[in-house]
Amino acid sequence: MFEQYLSRMCQFQIISCVDSCFIPVSIQATVPQTVQVGHVIAKVDVDQCDTITLDFTTSDPDFTVRPDGTIITVAITMVPANGRTFSVQFQDPNGQKREMNVLKDGLLKRSKRRWSPLPFNIIENDVMPFPKDVELIASDSSATRNVYYNISGPGVTEEPVGVFTVVSDTGMLKVNKAVDRERTPQFVFQARVFDRYTNQETDLPLPITVNVDDVNDNAPTFTGLLQFTVLEQSKAGTMVGMVNATDIDERGTDHTKIRYSLLSGTNLFYINPETGVISTKTDTLDREVNDKYLVTVEIRDMNGALNGLFNTATATIVLGMDVPICFMNTLFYDVKVKENQVEGLILRIPIEDKDLVKTPNWNTEFFIQKGNENGNFRIERDPKTNEGLIYLINPLDYEKTKNLKLEVLARNQADLSGTKAMWMSIPVDVSVVDEDEGPEFTAPTVFITVQENTPNDTLIGTYIAVDPETKSSAGIKYYKVSDPASWIKVDESTGQLKIANTIDRESHFVTNGVYNVTMKAVDASLKTGTGTVIIQVEDVNDHVPVIPSKDLVVCEKDGGEMGSVLVVAEDKDQAPFSAPFSFELGEEHDGRWAVKRLNDTAGMLEHTKELPIRLYTVPLMVKDLQGFGKTQTVTVRICRCRNGACLAYQNSTSLGVWAILAMLLALCLLLLLCMFFAFICVTKNEKMELEDMGDSGGILLKSNIEAPGDAVDSNLIIVPASGIDPLVKGSMIDVGWVGAKNSGMIEGGLGAQQNLLQQSGGVIVTDMETGFSGQNGGGQYGGGNMTFDNTHFIKFNNSAAWHTWQTNGLFLQQKLAYLGTREEGRYADDIIHAYGFEGVGSPAGSVGCCSDQGNQEDLDFLNTLGPKFKILAEVCNKK
């Protein structure tokens, strides 16, 4: 509750002693015991009174009455608990003085902490100075606390901002600027009260409503056009038109109550002051004397009072002459139209109308009343000339209709008035001109039913055309335009249709059992007509049920349970030549299988005894509803399954596209490598010369002594010259190296070395264990031979073979040494590289292709090869 609202409250009742101006009998208001300056006690309703002539006075100087009837205090007033009485005097419009008594009407009870002042009022467009006090808002918590007030919301902190403020200490609401009621008729914002020391709210927020009282600050305005038409010689009181106006001031008050009046033309026209309807005052209006009148109309608010705001405008009143339409041609109109003519204008109908141009009495509407039952025509009005325009919208056929008789009616938009004349109509005769047309088939489309597989040359129908003029088919030829499957042949002279090729209902050329053929007919003048033959293809039982998937899988089950597999069949025929199917085993079945029907198109195949995992073939007989079928063999694989598929099958089919491509790539690389070795082997190095270093004779002699034996012929040991042409460093040849066995003899690598020796000529290599031998030519050493470790036999037939053996071995040795030392410009990457690492190296060592060769310069391994190889080393190193 407001702080100033005390427990003892007074209620005043103003009793009207007069009933003029519709002042209410009583007004109740609640006031505190202590009333501050400017507090509104009550408000007398004077909206229906002339406030200019009213003059209010009060018997108590602490109160005053504003011109709008608001009773406020002009000094701080104490109202005793038993009430207070004073009177208000005023003078009514008749000059008589009246008085209203303010009487006590009982005591007011205090509400608990609910501050709810009455809605406040301010006047729009109030004048300076600002700010002005509006009303005091207070909470009864201020009686026990030191409080302050603030407000927020529209008009305060929201648009329009800053209209209202509050004195925080006293709660006085102030208005800071003029307000336009037409933009904001009401403000609703919140007031809050806080303890000054704790800043805590002492009451709930209170909504404050401020109504903006309207003042007559807007003049009424005209809406709509002020142009009217009335027929000449109309009777007095005939409505000419209605003036419309509006006022944006507050509705339901005199500020928006408009009265209409004429400032000119009052001798001929009259306007209703309340509705704005203009009417004629005489029946002597003559269009030939004056066809247009300009009158001034005034609109004034305040119900036409002198102090009301007003506006004026000029209204135009046009006199019309209500004369019926006259056709320029008073008899009829004749028009010729070619048959099959496309849409277009065929006739203009000129008219004459003496009414005022561009008015409803002049604007003409045309209608075709007869002769257009088929909708072949439409009629419109030319907005410029007011003529009637007849258009053809559907082509005409001379053979069906040679002449059409239309009846066209013309009338104005406005009804006839003040005359007994009637609307006029005129006949229009349309003649259709014949033209030579192409032949027409007896029907645009014909339907023929044909069974599929009908024999060739079978006559299925005739499709002919006639000349529209002669109704004869003489001289007309027939041709096919479209026959996608070439199933039909057409007799050129008679139009007979015969089967040319076997018709198959299951063909993709047939859609829903229908096959279309387009034909054309050509007459002697080469004019054509087209037609369509729709062939309904009937089904016959020309297909038996088939099993599309014949590779079946039966998953092995535990516990001796028999497995089964679903067999699905399909038939291209339609019912009743297809499903339901019957399933049975073929005559040659082995008794280990059984089949039973599952549904119309599927059966269940199962084995009747335990069968091992493998492939089985089972004959099945599937028949359609008519009993037609054949025995078909299906393959059944019994296997262990995962997700319904054989495990072995899954593995065999696990290779993807990329795996297959990788295998093909590897095969291609292997093929290229073989071609490379073949090229090396067959190429003669005519330009390669190697000096004999003299280290070895290229052969080994059998010796059974620990030291160099006397039986060794030193002439046979040929030491090649040192040095190799550097041009051969890129010519790597794959030659088997000579190895050693426990027998102490050296064995030739009979892989690529054997091919090399054979291609060199005069070498025979025999494998003593397998008996395989190869031979190339003969030489001067025809009787010589050598045996190595009782396994291989090598015979050099000429010195060229021996020289080739020696040269290639030396070349390969130097080539490997070169690749191991060169880092730039090398032709092979598979050499030993040094890599930095921390920790212990791998015990496996290098995994390159040459890793088994080790360090060729380290000969310590010879010390571990045994005494026989030591003797061999001494022989090879002998100079």
Side-chain angles (χ1 to χ4, degrees):
M1 296 291 291
F2 292 105
E3 181 183 10
Q4 286 78 7
Y5 281 27
L6 304 179
S7 61
R8 298 284 184 179
M9 307 297 289
C10 297
Q11 184 178 50
F12 295 92
Q13 183 176 32
I14 304 173
I15 302 176
S16 176
C17 300
V18 296
D19 56 1
S20 61
C21 297
F22 304 102
I23 295 178
V25 175
S26 64
I27 299 176
Q28 294 182 349
T30 302
V31 296
Q33 186 175 3
T34 301
V35 184
Q36 300 292 330
V37 176
H39 187 83
V40 177
I41 301 300
K43 186 176 186 298
V44 181
D45 186 5
V46 295
D47 289 342
Q48 304 299 325
C49 303
D50 187 358
T51 57
I52 298 178
T53 61
L54 288 178
D55 183 16
F56 293 99
T57 59
T58 64
S59 61
D60 192 331
D62 291 341
F63 301 92
T64 186
V65 183
R66 291 177 177 174
D68 61 353
T70 303
I71 304 175
I72 63 174
T73 59
V74 294
I76 298 178
T77 304
M78 298 296 295
V79 180
N82 57 357
R84 183 172 178 174
T85 302
F86 65 92
S87 63
V88 176
Q89 299 86 25
F90 69 97
Q91 187 176 7
D92 63 15
N94 299 324
Q96 297 180 359
K97 291 185 179 182
R98 302 298 178 95
E99 183 179 79
M100 290 184 296
N101 296 323
V102 181
L103 304 176
K104 185 181 91 168
D105 191 24
L107 300 177
L108 296 178
K109 295 182 180 181
R110 177 181 178 185
S111 300
K112 294 183 178 180
R113 291 206 177 273
R114 187 62 187 136
W115 51 320
S116 54
L118 295 173
F120 304 144
N121 293 78
I122 61 173
I123 299 176
E124 73 166 326
N125 300 329
D126 205 355
V127 296
M128 299 288 286
F130 287 105
K132 293 183 178 183
D133 293 342
V134 178
E135 187 56 84
L136 187 68
I137 57 176
S139 170
D140 58 357
S141 62
S142 60
T144 59
R145 297 186 183 185
N146 189 0
V147 298
Y148 66 91
Y149 302 88
N150 69 15
I151 57 176
S152 62
V156 183
T157 58
E158 300 176 14
E159 289 295 331
V161 178
V163 177
F164 299 97
T165 55
V166 68
V167 179
S168 62
D169 295 334
T170 64
M172 176 58 71
L173 181 66
K174 293 180 178 289
V175 60
N176 301 317
K177 60 180 73 174
V179 178
D180 186 2
R181 190 207 65 85
E182 283 68 44
R183 296 183 59 183
T184 312
Q186 186 183 70
F187 294 89
V188 179
F189 50 86
Q190 281 192 337
R192 303 172 70 183
V193 59
F194 298 87
D195 188 288
R196 188 174 295 279
Y197 299 106
T198 64
N199 288 328
Q200 297 294 324
E201 285 192 71
T202 60
D203 277 298
L204 294 176
L206 175 69
I208 302 296
T209 301
V210 178
N211 295 320
V212 182
D213 292 337
D214 185 38
V215 297
N216 192 21
D217 57 342
N218 293 281
T221 57
F222 291 93
T223 59
L225 298 177
L226 295 178
Q227 295 183 359
F228 310 104
T229 302
V230 64
L231 296 177
E232 64 176 341
Q233 299 178 356
S234 295
K235 295 180 179 180
T238 301
M239 179 178 174
V240 176
M242 185 172 68
V243 178
N244 295 312
T246 186
D247 196 318
I248 64 174
D249 286 324
E250 187 174 2
R251 293 182 180 274
T253 65
D254 284 347
H255 299 166
T256 57
K257 191 170 184 180
I258 303 172
R259 291 188 70 87
Y260 303 86
S261 61
L262 293 181
L263 303 182
S264 64
T266 56
N267 59 328
L268 298 177
F269 304 99
Y270 164 80
I271 188 169
N272 188 305
E274 296 181 356
T275 63
V277 173
I278 300 177
S279 303
T280 59
K281 292 180 66 176
T282 179
D283 58 359
T284 60
L285 296 176
D286 190 350
R287 184 171 181 271
E288 282 68 29
V289 176
N290 191 356
D291 61 355
K292 183 180 355 180
Y293 293 91
L294 302 178
V295 297
T296 303
V297 182
E298 179 189 79
I299 51 177
R300 184 182 294 265
D301 60 15
M302 297 299 293
N303 201 18
L306 296 178
N307 61 342
L309 303 179
F310 64 92
N311 262 321
T312 60
T314 301
T316 302
I317 302 175
V318 177
L319 297 185
M321 182 175 60
D322 202 1
V323 178
I325 299 170
C326 294
F327 290 99
M328 301 297 292
N329 188 343
T330 58
L331 298 178
F332 66 92
Y333 290 94
D334 189 7
V335 61
K336 297 184 183 299
V337 178
K338 293 181 180 180
E339 68 171 329
N340 301 321
Q341 180 177 324
V342 296
E343 178 181 354
L345 178 66
I346 61 173
L347 180 64
R348 280 182 172 269
I349 302 178
I351 61 169
E352 181 182 11
D353 194 333
K354 296 182 179 180
D355 287 322
L356 187 63
V357 177
K358 306 298 183 182
T359 64
N361 293 336
W362 180 82
N363 295 334
T364 306
E365 296 177 345
F366 295 90
F367 304 92
I368 302 177
Q369 291 184 310
K370 296 180 181 179
N372 195 32
E373 289 75 14
N374 295 328
N376 295 319
F377 308 94
R378 79 170 187 272
I379 190 167
E380 297 178 357
R381 166 184 169 267
D382 189 328
K384 295 182 179 180
T385 63
N386 211 26
E387 294 177 317
L389 308 177
I390 297 181
Y391 291 89
L392 176 69
I393 57 176
N394 292 321
L396 301 176
D397 188 355
Y398 174 82
E399 285 68 34
K400 296 180 180 180
T401 305
K402 297 179 174 57
N403 184 268
L404 288 170
K405 296 186 180 298
L406 309 179
E407 184 176 341
V408 177
L409 172 69
R411 55 161 296 164
N412 294 129
Q413 292 178 349
D415 291 332
L416 291 172
S417 177
T419 178
K420 295 181 179 180
M422 302 294 292
W423 302 118
M424 299 180 62
S425 62
I426 193 169
V428 178
D429 191 2
V430 180
S431 300
V432 182
V433 179
D434 185 24
E435 284 194 341
D436 186 15
E437 299 173 292
E440 295 180 354
F441 281 96
T442 52
T445 303
V446 294
F447 293 84
I448 300 176
T449 301
V450 180
Q451 278 192 346
E452 64 174 333
N453 302 324
T454 299
N456 292 349
D457 290 329
T458 300
L459 178 66
I460 61 173
T462 302
Y463 192 30
I464 62 173
V466 297
D467 189 298
E469 285 79 21
T470 62
K471 304 300 181 181
S472 171
S473 299
I476 296 178
K477 303 294 184 182
Y478 303 93
Y479 305 94
K480 288 190 305 180
V481 177
S482 173
D483 180 12
S486 299
W487 287 343
I488 305 299
K489 61 181 177 180
V490 179
D491 188 287
E492 182 178 313
S493 301
T494 63
Q496 290 182 341
L497 307 177
K498 294 183 179 180
I499 301 297
N501 293 294
T502 302
I503 296 178
D504 183 7
R505 193 199 64 84
E506 289 73 35
S507 170
H508 66 278
F509 293 108
V510 178
T511 303
N512 296 325
V514 173
Y515 180 75
N516 293 332
V517 177
T518 304
M519 293 178 55
K520 70 175 180 179
V522 183
D523 61 13
S525 63
L526 300 182
K527 285 185 170 58
T528 62
T530 59
T532 302
V533 179
I534 299 178
I535 299 177
Q536 183 71 45
V537 182
E538 291 186 344
D539 191 25
V540 297
N541 198 5
D542 57 342
H543 293 86
V544 296
V546 296
I547 303 174
S549 177
K550 298 182 180 179
D551 294 327
L552 309 177
V553 174
V554 175
C555 295
E556 185 183 42
K557 297 185 178 181
D558 298 331
E561 183 180 355
M562 303 302 173
S564 61
V565 64
L566 183 68
V567 180
V568 179
E570 60 183 28
D571 194 330
K572 294 182 179 180
D573 292 325
Q574 287 184 325
F577 305 123
S578 58
F581 303 140
S582 61
F583 296 85
E584 58 186 45
L585 293 174
E587 296 179 355
E588 299 178 358
H589 71 91
D590 54 9
R592 294 182 292 183
W593 299 87
V595 64
K596 60 181 179 181
R597 181 171 173 269
L598 182 64
N599 54 37
D600 288 351
T601 60
M604 189 64 69
L605 177 65
E606 57 185 2
H607 53 90
T608 58
K609 59 182 66 176
E610 291 189 18
L611 299 177
I613 295 176
R614 66 180 182 88
L615 288 175
Y616 298 88
T617 57
V618 181
L620 285 178
M621 169 69 76
V622 185
K623 297 180 181 180
D624 60 19
L625 184 60
Q626 306 299 324
F628 290 97
K630 66 178 181 180
T631 301
Q632 305 171 62
T633 301
V634 298
T635 301
V636 182
R637 178 188 297 272
I638 300 180
C639 61
R640 293 185 180 88
C641 297
R642 179 181 297 165
N643 298 327
C646 291
L647 293 177
Y649 180 76
Q650 287 181 331
N651 294 335
S652 64
T653 59
S654 61
L655 288 179
V657 176
W658 293 108
I660 297 174
L661 291 177
M663 295 174 62
L664 293 177
L665 180 60
L667 291 175
C668 293
L669 292 176
L670 181 60
L671 179 61
L672 291 175
L673 185 61
C674 293
M675 293 175 63
F676 173 75
F677 286 140
F679 175 78
I680 295 300
C681 293
V682 301
T683 303
K684 294 182 179 180
N685 299 325
E686 297 179 355
K687 297 183 180 180
M688 181 173 61
E689 296 181 1
L690 296 176
E691 296 181 2
D692 192 353
M693 301 300 296
D695 293 337
S696 172
I699 60 176
L700 294 178
L701 301 180
K702 183 176 180 181
S703 176
N704 293 325
I705 60 176
E706 299 299 329
D710 296 337
V712 177
D713 187 359
S714 61
N715 295 327
L716 296 177
I717 301 176
I718 303 173
V719 180
S722 60
I724 295 178
D725 189 350
L727 293 176
V728 303
K729 64 182 180 180
S731 304
M732 180 68 181
I733 302 177
D734 186 8
V735 179
W737 287 95
V738 176
K741 287 192 175 182
N742 293 332
S743 64
M745 307 304 293
I746 297 179
E747 168 182 62
L750 297 181
Q753 186 179 10
Q754 176 179 339
N755 295 334
L756 177 63
L757 293 176
Q758 290 176 352
Q759 293 173 8
S760 301
V763 179
I764 298 176
V765 180
T766 303
D767 191 323
M768 303 300 294
E769 295 178 355
T770 63
F772 173 81
S773 65
Q775 181 176 357
N776 273 328
Q780 61 182 0
Y781 300 102
N785 61 74
M786 293 184 189
T787 302
F788 301 92
D789 71 358
N790 297 324
T791 303
H792 297 90
F793 175 79
I794 302 177
K795 181 178 181 179
F796 294 89
N797 292 331
N798 52 44
S799 60
W802 162 248
H803 184 267
T804 300
W805 172 277
Q806 180 184 24
T807 302
N808 288 338
L810 181 61
F811 166 76
L812 187 59
Q813 178 69 24
Q814 293 187 359
K815 179 62 180 178
L816 292 174
Y818 167 77
L819 293 176
T821 57
R822 294 283 294 185
E823 289 294 329
E824 301 294 336
R826 62 183 181 272
Y827 288 83
D829 287 333
D830 197 0
I831 61 177
I832 299 175
H833 295 271
Y835 293 91
F837 65 95
E838 297 180 0
V840 180
S842 171
S846 172
V847 293
C849 68
C850 303
S851 60
D852 59 340
Q853 295 182 8
N855 189 353
Q856 296 182 6
E857 296 181 357
D858 186 4
L859 302 180
D860 290 340
F861 71 93
L862 295 176
N863 296 325
T864 62
L865 298 179
K868 293 182 180 181
F869 286 94
K870 290 182 179 180
I871 298 300
L872 178 63
E874 292 176 0
V875 172
C876 294
N877 289 331
K878 184 178 179 179
K879 296 184 181 179

